[in-house]
Structures are given as C-alpha cells and as structure tokens.
C-alpha cells in the first residue's frame, strides 16, 4: 500500500510540470533529520522521497510520506507519527520552489554547482518560506542533488510535551539527497 501511494505521488508530481523542457526525477530521494540536545540525539531517515526538477523553468518539487521515516528505536517512530507529526492527519511533507540561478546548471558536463533554492515547505499542515543552497553534482552523466537546512519545530505547529521538551532540539537539521534520472 505504501509503495503504491509513493508511486501515485511520484506520478502526480511529474504531471504537475506542464512546461516543456528537460525534466529530471527521482522516486528514491533520501531525506534525513536530526535533533541534537545534551540529553538525547534523535535521527530518522526516509529513502522514498519523490522529487522533480524542470531545468527550463527552474521549478523543483519534493514530497515524502511522514510514515516512511525510520528511527533506530520503534518507540521513537511510534511517538513521532502519533504524538508529534500526527501522520494520519498530515500524511506527507512537501516542498515546491524554484532554483533561482538554474542557468548555472549544466547537466551535460561533469562537475558540481551550488545554486540557491527558494520555495515553500509544508510540514504538519503549516507552510513556511525557505531559502537554502543546493549542490548539484554530475559524474559520468549521473546527477546528484544535495541540500541541508534547519527549521524551527515551532514554525510548523509541532507541539512538544513539557516532559520531553529538553530531549528535542528547537531547531531540526534536515538533509536531502537524490540521484536524478531524465524524464522522457
């Protein structure tokens, strides 16, 4: 069921790009996040994020199912989905934005390029403007995109019970990475 939903979500993302141009996608993007405090480090990752880039328009989109994040401890994963993220009510996180300097990207030659990405990140039903750097690397025709950003938990209306407030950082680090393929 989860794989079917991811496939449908990927298809919808790809259809949302109506402008003609070279498009690249991945259905196996990696997203991880970490919370580091003196009391506890919390980390989780997903390897099923979907992403699409349109080089002509500079548009970029990401989507990930909240329940796809895996934790070292099953109890953390359960609390994350039920108590904090309410993943039945808010099943996915989404980003839609633009690569501001898309003309700097040349996917036909090996090398790395840092670009600025601006857009809207929706988590837990809340949307915030995001601006971050992303690095796109091309090696032997294979394209990898990577970025890292920090978000404030409070900006996304995620309530942390006072009993564990010192165990969870106020700012969470998010890392994303995808190996893109051409969409023909």
């Amino acid at each position: 069921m989860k794989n079917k939903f991811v496939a449908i979500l990927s298809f919808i993302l790809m259809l949302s790009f109506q402008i003609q141009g070279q498009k690249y996608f991945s259905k196996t993007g990696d997203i991880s996040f970490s919370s580091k405090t003196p009391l506890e480090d919390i980390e989780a990752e997903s390897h099923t994020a979907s992403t699409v880039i349109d080089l002509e328009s500079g548009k970029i989109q990401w989507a990930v199912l909240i329940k796809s994040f895996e934790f070292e401890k099953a109890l953390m994963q359960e609390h994350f989905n039920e108590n904090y993220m309410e993943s039945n009510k808010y099943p996915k996180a989404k980003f839609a934005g633009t690569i501001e300097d898309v003309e700097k990207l040349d996917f036909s030659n090996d090398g790395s390029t840092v670009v600025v990405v601006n857009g809207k990140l929706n988590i837990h039903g809340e949307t915030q403007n995001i601006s971050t750097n992303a690095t796109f690397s091309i090696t032997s025709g294979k394209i990898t995109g990577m970025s890292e950003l920090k978000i404030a938990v409070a900006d996304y209306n995620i309530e942390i019970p006072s009993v564990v407030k010192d165990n969870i950082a106020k700012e969470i680090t998010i890392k994303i990475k995808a190996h893109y393929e051409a969409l023909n």
Side-chain angles (χ1 to χ4, degrees), residues 102-171:
V102 70
E103 66 278 353
K104 289 172 59 176
L105 294 177
D106 178 5
F107 287 177
S108 63
N109 294 312
D110 284 3
S112 292
T113 305
V114 177
V115 294
V116 175
V117 178
N118 296 312
K120 297 189 178 298
L121 178 62
N122 180 284
I123 300 173
H124 197 246
E126 298 291 325
T127 301
Q128 299 293 327
N129 291 323
I130 298 290
S131 182
T132 190
N133 290 336
T135 302
F136 287 91
S137 301
I138 295 85
T139 306
S140 301
K142 300 203 184 290
I143 301 159
T144 302
M146 296 177 286
S147 187
E148 181 176 316
L149 60 131
K150 293 184 185 290
I151 63 164
V153 174
D155 287 348
Y156 294 93
N157 201 25
I158 300 168
E159 294 183 27
I160 308 298
S162 59
V163 161
V164 293
K165 71 177 176 66
D166 293 334
N167 294 49
I168 300 173
K170 290 178 180 24
E171 260 193 358

Side-chain angles (χ1 to χ4, degrees), residues 13-98:
L13 275 176
M14 288 183 258
L15 286 179
S16 69
F17 283 88
Q18 298 300 320
I19 299 172
Q20 294 298 316
Q22 186 60 51
K23 296 170 187 72
Y24 295 87
F25 79 102
S26 175
K27 295 185 290 185
T28 58
D30 298 322
I31 298 182
S32 66
F33 68 84
S34 61
S35 160
K36 301 206 183 288
T37 67
L39 296 178
E40 184 171 34
D41 291 345
I42 300 169
E43 296 180 346
E45 55 187 30
S46 171
H47 305 289
T48 60
S50 297
T51 176
V52 178
I53 299 173
D54 183 324
L55 283 186
E56 186 172 310
S57 67
K59 289 182 180 180
I60 183 168
Q61 292 184 352
W62 277 81
V64 64
L65 290 174
I66 298 301
K67 286 186 177 182
S68 70
F69 284 98
E70 297 175 354
F71 292 73
E72 185 178 323
K73 299 175 184 172
L75 188 58
M76 279 185 179
Q77 190 164 331
E78 182 180 324
H79 287 176
F80 172 78
N81 282 298
E82 293 177 9
N83 302 339
Y84 306 120
M85 296 301 291
E86 302 173 275
S87 56
N88 286 332
K89 186 175 182 181
Y90 307 107
K92 61 186 169 184
K94 300 177 283 186
F95 175 83
T98 304

